Amino acid sequence: MSQTLAPAVATVGPALPRSRRLLRAVAVVACLPYLSLKTIWVAGSHVGIPAGSPLLDHDTAMVVANVVTVAMDGAVIVLALLLTRPWGRAVPAWLLAAPMWVAAGLLAPVMAGYPLQLLVRAFGGGAAGTSGGGGEPFLHEWVFAVVYIGFIVQGLALGALFALYARDRWGHLWRGRMGDLPIGPAGTAQRVTAVAATVLALFPLTLRAVWALGGTTGLSAGVLADRGSDFHVLESLYVVYILAAVTGGVLLAFRRVPALPVRVPLALAGIGSGAVACWGGWMAAAALVTGGDPADRPTGLMLLAYAGQMIVGLLVALVAARFLAARSAGAVRPPLA
C-alpha cells in the first residue's frame, strides 16, 4: 500500500504558503498546555488534581499513563512538521496514514463531545462524568477546559494540514462519484469485511444506545454512581461514530448509491472507524491497568463492548484501506506540475 499510494515522483515545491505555516504553529502551540501539565505531573506535582482524586491512589500507573500520553501528544507536533516539510512528501503512505487515523480517532470525539457537554450543561445538565466513581472530583474543572480546548484546536489545525497535504498527494483517489467506479477483483473481500463489521457492530451499538438513553445494563457500580449529562453525551456520540463507521464501510464495499461523491463514504469510514477503534482500544487498555476500588472496574459486558467496537473499527479501516489501494492501482494520475 505504501508503494501504490506514494506519488510517482517526490518533488520539492515552492515555499510553504503562509496559511500552512500558521496552521503548523497553531497545532504546535495547542499541544503545549497538555504537555506542560503532563510533564509536571510526571515530575510529582499535583497541580489541577484535587486532594480526593482517584488519580492519587495509583502513583505508578499515573506516571506510566502520563508518559504514554505525553508521547502521543508529542506525535501531533511530529505530524504537523511532516505535513509541512519537503521531506514529508517522501514518507510512505502507511507511515503517515496510521498515526493520522489514530489522531483523528482520538480527537474527533473530544472535538464534538466537549462543546456538546457544555451546551447540555448550559441547559441544566449535570457534569457528574468528571468525577470518580466514589463521587470524589477527578480533576479541577479548569484542567478539562484547558486540555479539551487545546485538543479541539489541535484537531482543527492538524485536520486542515492533512486535508491540504492529502489533496496535493492523493486527491485523485477520491474524486468523482461512486457510480463511476468498477467493482474490481477486491470487491468481494470488501463486501464480506463490511458485512462482518456491521454484524459485529450490533452488540456495542446496542449497549451504547441503551446507556445513552439511561439504561443500566452491564454498567459497573462506579459508573452508575457517577453518571451525568457528560456520560450520556459521550455514549450518544459513540452511537453516532459506530453508525458512521459501518455506513461508510458498507457504502464503500457495495457502492449502491451511484450519485454519492467518493469522499463522503471515505470520510465516514475513516473518521468513524478511527473514533470507534481507538477509543474502544483506549478504554479496554485502561480497564486492564485499573486497580483500586472494585466498583470502578469495568464489567464483562463493558469490556466486550470496548473490544467489539475496536474490532469493528479495524475492519472498517481495512475496507477503506483496500478501497484506496485498489483505486490507486487503477487510477490515472494527474500530470505532474
Side-chain angles (χ1 to χ4, degrees):
M1 180 176 173
S2 61
Q3 294 177 346
T4 57
L5 293 187
V9 178
T11 60
V12 178
L16 190 70
R18 183 179 179 182
S19 60
R20 299 199 193 192
R21 294 199 303 270
L22 178 60
L23 285 170
R24 179 177 63 194
V26 169
V28 172
V29 171
C31 294
L32 297 182
Y34 185 78
L35 290 175
S36 299
L37 274 173
K38 290 289 186 173
T39 300
I40 62 176
W41 288 346
V42 170
S45 173
H46 293 161
V47 61
I49 305 176
S53 173
L55 291 176
L56 301 179
D57 297 335
H58 316 291
D59 289 339
T60 302
M62 181 179 176
V63 169
V64 172
N66 285 334
V67 170
V68 170
T69 50
V70 163
M72 292 171 63
D73 206 44
V76 172
I77 297 176
V78 176
L79 286 171
L81 293 173
L82 187 153
L83 294 170
T84 54
R85 301 298 300 169
W87 51 266
R89 293 297 298 271
V91 171
W94 68 268
L95 193 57
L96 171 61
M100 275 302 308
W101 178 75
V102 172
L106 291 175
L107 289 173
V110 175
M111 295 171 67
Y114 187 60
L116 284 174
Q117 288 174 339
L118 294 180
L119 181 63
V120 172
R121 290 186 208 176
F123 285 91
T130 60
S131 303
E136 296 291 349
F138 187 70
L139 289 169
H140 288 306
E141 192 62 30
W142 66 264
V143 176
F144 288 100
V146 168
V147 169
Y148 287 162
I149 290 172
F151 283 164
I152 291 171
V153 175
Q154 287 176 41
L156 292 173
L158 196 64
L161 285 174
F162 180 73
L164 294 169
Y165 176 102
R167 182 196 63 187
D168 295 342
R169 185 172 175 180
W170 303 308
H172 57 288
L173 297 182
W174 52 75
R175 291 178 189 149
R177 300 183 181 278
M178 298 300 295
D180 302 329
L181 306 177
I183 293 297
T188 300
Q190 289 179 2
R191 290 194 293 271
V192 170
T193 305
V195 169
T198 302
V199 172
L200 289 173
L202 294 176
F203 178 72
L205 177 64
T206 301
L207 272 182
R208 294 289 194 181
V210 168
W211 297 339
L213 294 173
T216 61
T217 302
L219 291 176
S220 66
V223 172
L224 287 173
D226 196 39
R227 287 184 306 165
S229 64
D230 288 359
F231 171 86
H232 296 293
V233 167
L234 289 179
E235 293 303 320
S236 300
L237 279 177
Y238 289 132
V239 170
V240 171
Y241 282 115
I242 293 173
L243 289 174
V246 295
T247 299
V250 168
L251 288 172
L252 288 175
F254 288 89
R255 308 178 191 180
R256 295 296 175 85
V257 188
L260 189 68
V262 173
R263 65 174 64 92
V264 174
L266 276 175
L268 289 173
I271 298 175
S273 67
V276 169
C278 293
W279 275 101
W282 179 261
M283 288 183 287
L288 294 176
V289 299
T290 298
D293 190 345
D296 293 333
R297 297 172 188 167
T299 65
L301 280 179
M302 292 172 70
L303 289 174
L304 284 175
Y306 303 158
Q309 71 178 59
M310 180 173 60
I311 294 171
V312 168
L314 291 173
L315 289 175
V316 173
L318 179 60
V319 171
R322 289 179 66 92
F323 175 91
L324 288 172
R327 191 166 193 210
S328 178
V332 177
R333 297 183 182 279
L336 294 173

